[in-house]
Amino acid sequence: KAGVTQTPRYLIKTRGQQVTLSCSPISGHRSVSWYQQTPGQGLQFLFEYFSETQRNKGNFPGRFSGRQFSNSRSEMNVSTLELGDSALYLCASSVRSTSGANVLTFGAGSRLTVL
Amino acid sequence: DAKTTQPNSMESNEEEPVHLPCNHSTISGTDYIHWYRQLPSQGPEYVIHGLTSNVNNRMASLAIAEDRKSSTLILHRATLRDAAVYYCILRGNSGGYQKVTFGTGTKLQVIP
């Protein structure tokens, strides 16, 4: 069965631009969560969506937003890009998020470089 | 948010067992302990998880302390392919939605 698919895998933007990243979860998984990974801060939780609703949000500015569609696919958007937004953005899916036993399956990530 | 503490790095010789520790003193009664690992240039991958009892699967074993404030991931025979950053995280089972907090993880180096 197909894994978690993230697109694009690599992209380069300039400061002030905006970017949209896409995540297709494993079929049947309804929970999608997003993470930012940088060398300095490690893996940080961005937000989680379940049934098209944001269920939790990490400590990131409002420039970071996301949404989930009825087919569970999710997108995240970063507006007014800053140099510090350069990172690997990871998406993970699970069957549902209310059970601690549910395993997260991660995608390979989208590597964003902001110049 | 429940937090975990792990050593920054560890070394192991190839084909020897590796014990990776994790402290989670603020764990709640319904938190599951999960381990993931991240190979270079890849997203994290699931290794094992447990609640109270020790767990075994084809990849590893998880030993959970009786008070659940610490756990140990055991790789029975380390191979070069096991060189990765290992993350121990807690996932709640409270019925609500929880942020997932990753620590800095343990970078495992396997020496041939």
Side-chain angles (χ1 to χ4, degrees):
Chain A
K1 107 183 175 182
V4 177
T5 304
Q6 292 189 246
T7 56
R9 288 292 315 278
Y10 303 91
L11 66 166
I12 300 173
K13 294 284 187 179
T14 57
R15 280 180 298 174
Q17 287 187 312
Q18 66 137 16
V19 66
T20 299
L21 309 177
S22 178
C23 173
S24 294
I26 289 175
S27 177
H29 284 195
R30 297 174 61 195
S31 173
V32 173
S33 52
W34 288 88
Y35 306 84
Q36 180 196 65
Q37 186 171 33
T38 60
Q41 300 295 322
L43 266 165
Q44 294 186 283
F45 173 83
L46 277 159
F47 27 65
E48 179 177 17
Y49 287 86
F50 182 75
S51 293
E52 302 177 65
T53 302
Q54 187 179 92
R55 303 294 179 166
N56 218 325
K57 191 177 188 325
N59 297 323
F60 280 82
R63 300 185 297 106
F64 292 80
S65 64
R67 59 178 175 168
Q68 187 181 34
F69 302 95
S70 58
N71 61 359
S72 294
R73 189 177 70 85
S74 177
E75 289 180 348
M76 67 162 284
N77 183 277
V78 187
S79 62
T80 319
L81 284 166
E82 300 177 359
L83 295 179
D85 296 334
S86 295
L88 179 66
Y89 290 88
L90 291 157
C91 162
S93 74
S94 64
V95 175
R96 63 184 185 278
S97 70
T98 56
S99 168
N102 286 152
V103 169
L104 296 170
T105 303
F106 285 84
S110 294
R111 183 164 296 281
L112 170 66
T113 301
V114 181
L115 301 177
Chain B
D1 302 336
K3 295 195 184 299
T4 61
T5 306
Q6 300 175 253
N8 287 334
S9 63
M10 290 184 66
E11 277 185 4
S12 173
N13 293 320
E14 195 176 9
E15 298 191 5
E16 289 190 357
V18 182
H19 290 234
L20 298 167
C22 180
N23 287 319
H24 28 79
S25 58
T26 59
I27 191 170
S28 73
T30 55
D31 285 341
Y32 280 77
I33 302 158
H34 285 238
W35 284 81
Y36 292 79
R37 71 180 186 182
Q38 187 173 21
L39 279 65
S41 303
Q42 296 186 26
E45 66 172 344
Y46 167 77
V47 177
I48 199 166
H49 75 287
L51 184 62
T52 56
S53 303
N54 295 344
V55 184
N56 299 296
N57 67 20
R58 64 175 179 83
M59 289 181 71
S61 296
L62 175 60
I64 301 172
E66 195 170 334
D67 63 5
R68 299 205 331 123
K69 293 186 177 181
S70 65
S71 61
T72 302
L73 177 71
I74 303 165
L75 306 179
H76 296 288
R77 287 177 71 242
T79 70
L80 296 178
R81 288 174 296 178
D82 292 323
V85 178
Y86 287 78
Y87 295 98
C88 162
I89 66 169
L90 302 179
R91 278 180 56 78
N93 196 35
S94 62
Y97 295 88
Q98 280 201 353
K99 302 176 187 181
V100 176
T101 302
F102 282 82
T104 53
T106 298
K107 184 173 184 177
L108 175 65
Q109 182 180 358
V110 180
I111 302 167

